[in-house]
Amino acid sequence: MVFAPRPCRYVTIAGPFLAALFYIGSASAQTPGMKLITFGGNDQESLAGFAIDHDGNYYIAGTTASFDLPVNVLQKHPGGAYLYRFRAGQADPLYPWPAAVSAIATDSSHPGYLYASFHYAVWRSPDGGDTWQHLEADWPTAADCTSITVAPKDGRSIYVLCPVGSSNPSRQYLFRSTDAGVNWVRARNEQDLWGQQLFNFAPLRNLTMDPSNPQSVWAEGLLLGEIPQLIGLHSTDGGDTWIETDPTLIQFAFDDRHAGIAYAYGSDGSYYRSTDSGLTWTKLASPPPQAQSFGASIAILPSGDVLFLSGNLLQRTRDNGATWQTLPLPGSGTPCQSLYSGPNSALSADSLTGSIYLQMCGNQSYIFRSDDAGANWARVNAAGLPDLAGQAISPAPTASEYFAIVRKSSDVFVAKLSPSGDMIWSTFLGGVHDDTATG
């Protein structure tokens, strides 16, 4: 095997698929000159080294972020995955598509039903992520959808938030289905608010629906301008028209077991409670001072206990907000936050068992579970993961399934190509975290 002297240039071409292009001067006397060799997937690759044997075969090694890199031997999947399923203590990486998963949600009325956004569409799995069905709608083709909300009682009403395009993420579509994803309509969220179109200037986050009335939808809106401002929004017609909340509320949670009970987090850092499905809100007793936060995770347990996570402060009430207890956070990281779904992505509760899941991000990110309302925590994933970006729980009486979105990581690859550039063999080499080839 002879290393070529380095008459090599590497470029990446953007398109439906991205390819690594190698201009290689052959070290074989029988094949002098330059050759164009194409190898890669739909994301970024970088070349770290190459060699040519006496038969003219090419050996290349580099770093890839592509999940669809052509491989046929040894490690056939990347070391990491965009989506993990935790079932009966087993962590399973899922590969629904060789592209990032941007949002997930479960249908709590049908165990094992999972919705996810990837590859510019929304998909449904009836078997916990093993197989996927494409849901037909006029999904945007320039950016992936960022939020999926499923009605907890019957699973028929579904809302999906999608940026119109990656170049202008402030413009946003809201899709709505009332038949479990068979048919979709685009909500008419384009009415004037303050003399401007909501569609153009106030992208929504933290979308929440009232389990007793799926047409009643609550959300945080981000007013764009020189000084961005958060507002609370409420729709009573499935997202066609919106009004501002009073007070300004930016995070919501409804009690699935007790109709009308809801909790909310205000833009002033206060906690609120409603007993009439949000018609009126009562400001709760002031909790201890907290770190600066732009939102909160809220988990309502079957017992009626409620947990708020704001910044690094985790608090629990067992008496409808009259008193609060501060609970220690597990691990050494900080609660994960999603750019699109807000801090509510960090804390989630199993609606059947009452178990609480908390995502903590850092150099090593971990998922923790508490079975005693946050008093004690146990680590779910034995090995650390890259940054966590979302979660969903599929409740079941015996063994619930837990799903986590993980940011993509890079892997090393090694490949052997024929003198004509055809792949002979190729493999990933890497673990869950970023791996980089250095030559």
Side-chain angles (χ1 to χ4, degrees), residues 21-331:
L21 304 183
F22 304 98
Y23 295 80
I24 304 176
S26 173
S28 170
Q30 288 77 22
T31 55
M34 304 291 288
K35 286 190 176 180
L36 172 62
I37 303 296
T38 303
F39 184 80
N42 67 354
D43 210 320
Q44 297 291 325
E45 279 78 40
S46 62
L47 180 66
F50 68 92
I52 306 174
D53 64 22
H54 290 291
D55 295 323
N57 297 307
Y58 298 99
Y59 299 80
I60 59 175
T63 303
T64 180
S66 297
F67 273 35
D68 64 342
L69 188 82
V71 294
N72 58 359
V73 298
L74 298 178
Q75 184 178 331
K76 296 183 180 181
H77 286 292
Y82 289 116
L83 184 62
Y84 280 81
R85 177 183 62 208
F86 295 85
R87 174 192 288 169
Q90 177 72 30
D92 300 317
L94 302 177
Y95 303 96
W97 193 273
V101 175
S102 57
I104 53 174
T106 57
D107 178 356
S108 58
S109 64
H110 296 87
Y113 272 69
L114 177 68
Y115 294 85
S117 170
F118 53 85
H119 194 56
Y120 308 123
V122 174
W123 305 68
R124 179 176 59 207
S125 171
D127 49 20
D130 290 331
T131 61
W132 295 88
Q133 172 194 4
H134 179 268
L135 299 181
E136 297 293 337
D138 186 22
W139 308 114
T141 58
D144 281 313
C145 301
T146 56
S147 173
I148 305 171
T149 305
V150 182
K153 287 196 172 181
D154 63 8
R156 296 188 61 80
S157 294
I158 307 172
Y159 293 89
V160 178
L161 286 171
C162 306
V164 174
S166 56
S167 61
N168 188 5
S170 64
R171 300 187 71 225
Q172 188 182 62
Y173 291 137
L174 173 60
F175 289 87
R176 179 180 68 229
S177 173
T178 57
D179 53 13
V182 177
N183 297 286
W184 296 87
V185 297
R186 190 181 298 167
R188 299 185 297 274
N189 60 331
E190 301 184 26
Q191 90 283 0
D192 284 349
L193 186 67
W194 294 358
Q196 302 183 63
Q197 286 189 319
L198 182 65
F199 172 81
N200 288 323
F201 84 113
L204 306 178
R205 300 197 312 175
N206 302 337
L207 196 72
T208 306
M209 76 176 82
D210 185 338
S212 300
N213 178 14
Q215 288 288 100
S216 179
V217 188
W218 304 76
E220 169 196 280
L222 176 62
L223 292 177
L224 303 176
E226 293 185 9
I227 302 177
Q229 179 183 347
L230 297 177
I231 59 173
L233 294 168
H234 179 215
S235 173
T236 59
D237 54 13
D240 285 336
T241 60
W242 297 82
I243 59 172
E244 285 189 78
T245 63
D246 184 17
T248 300
L249 305 175
I250 58 176
Q251 180 61 52
F252 309 86
F254 283 80
D255 190 330
D256 294 346
R257 298 189 176 215
H258 301 92
I261 302 299
Y263 289 82
Y265 180 81
S267 61
D268 61 352
S270 298
Y271 302 165
Y272 292 83
R273 184 174 187 264
S274 175
T275 58
D276 53 15
S277 296
L279 291 177
T280 59
W281 295 92
T282 300
K283 190 173 183 178
L284 300 177
S286 297
Q290 54 191 314
Q292 177 66 32
S293 175
F294 296 100
S297 299
I298 309 172
I300 303 176
L301 309 188
S303 63
D305 293 353
V306 182
L307 285 86
F308 276 71
L309 174 65
S310 179
N312 291 325
L313 185 66
L314 178 63
Q315 295 176 301
R316 180 185 65 198
T317 179
R318 291 184 150 169
D319 52 15
N320 300 325
T323 61
W324 296 86
Q325 301 85 45
T326 299
L327 304 174
L329 290 176

Side-chain angles (χ1 to χ4, degrees), residues 334-396:
T334 58
C336 303
Q337 295 192 23
S338 168
L339 174 63
Y340 298 108
S341 58
N344 70 311
S345 60
L347 189 70
S348 188
D350 188 317
S351 60
L352 286 182
T353 67
S355 295
I356 309 166
Y357 292 85
L358 174 62
Q359 294 187 340
M360 299 290 287
C361 286
N363 292 331
Q364 301 279 336
S365 298
Y366 291 96
I367 303 155
F368 292 87
R369 188 186 72 217
S370 174
D371 298 323
D372 55 9
N376 298 281
W377 298 88
R379 188 186 293 175
V380 174
N381 53 315
L385 293 168
D387 286 346
L388 302 165
Q391 61 183 323
I393 302 168
S394 181

Side-chain angles (χ1 to χ4, degrees), residues 404-428:
I405 297 177
V406 180
R407 76 159 178 85
K408 69 178 181 180
S409 57
S410 61
D411 287 274
V412 172
F413 71 90
V414 181
K416 178 181 179 179
L417 310 178
S418 71
S420 62
D422 296 325
M423 184 182 74
I424 299 174
W425 56 257
S426 172
T427 182
F428 287 107

